[in-house]
Structure formats: structure tokens, C-alpha cells
Amino acid sequence: MSYQTLLHELAPDLNPAGIEASMRLHYGTLNHLPRETFVAEAKLAAELEGQSPGILRKIAESMGMADDFAKWEASHAA
């Protein structure tokens, strides 16, 4: 299961590429992290996005994940 698929399950209202980018900003690699960390980081990302709308997009762009972010936006557009 990809990180973004897992993050989408944990936080379906958020762009999982943005959450992954935020996590990579903090942790670098993610393969050593337990599921509980992904749960906590998804909640943190929701709070962060609520306080600063658009911040997950900016983090994704800064981490070189703008294309992933855009793909999720396009595939989950209302």
C-alpha cells in the first residue's frame, strides 16, 4: 500500500500528497514509522490546513510533490 493510499484512508477530506510531503519534511523517510504516526500526522495535517488553508499544497510544492498533489486534486474534484 502506498503512503498516499493509506493517508487518503486516514484523512479522506485532505490531499494525501500534501500530508505525505508534510511528513517527509519532518521525518525524511517514512518506511520506519508505525501506523500510529501516520494517524497522528493526518490529524496534525488537518489542523494545519484548517488554520492555514492551502498550506499542504505549498508544502507539497516545496517538497517536489506538486504533480502528485495535482493528480489527487483532479481525481477527487467535486
Side-chain angles (χ1 to χ4, degrees), residues 22-35:
S22 177
M23 289 180 71
R24 289 187 181 281
L25 184 64
H26 293 277
Y27 299 103
T29 61
L30 307 181
N31 60 338
H32 67 286
L33 299 173
R35 181 180 177 90

Side-chain angles (χ1 to χ4, degrees), residues 40-63:
E41 289 293 327
K43 290 177 184 176
L44 180 63
E47 292 173 14
L48 187 62
E49 186 68 21
Q51 292 173 3
S52 299
I55 192 68
L56 292 178
R57 176 187 300 273
K58 291 178 184 175
I59 294 170
E61 290 169 356
S62 75
M63 296 296 290

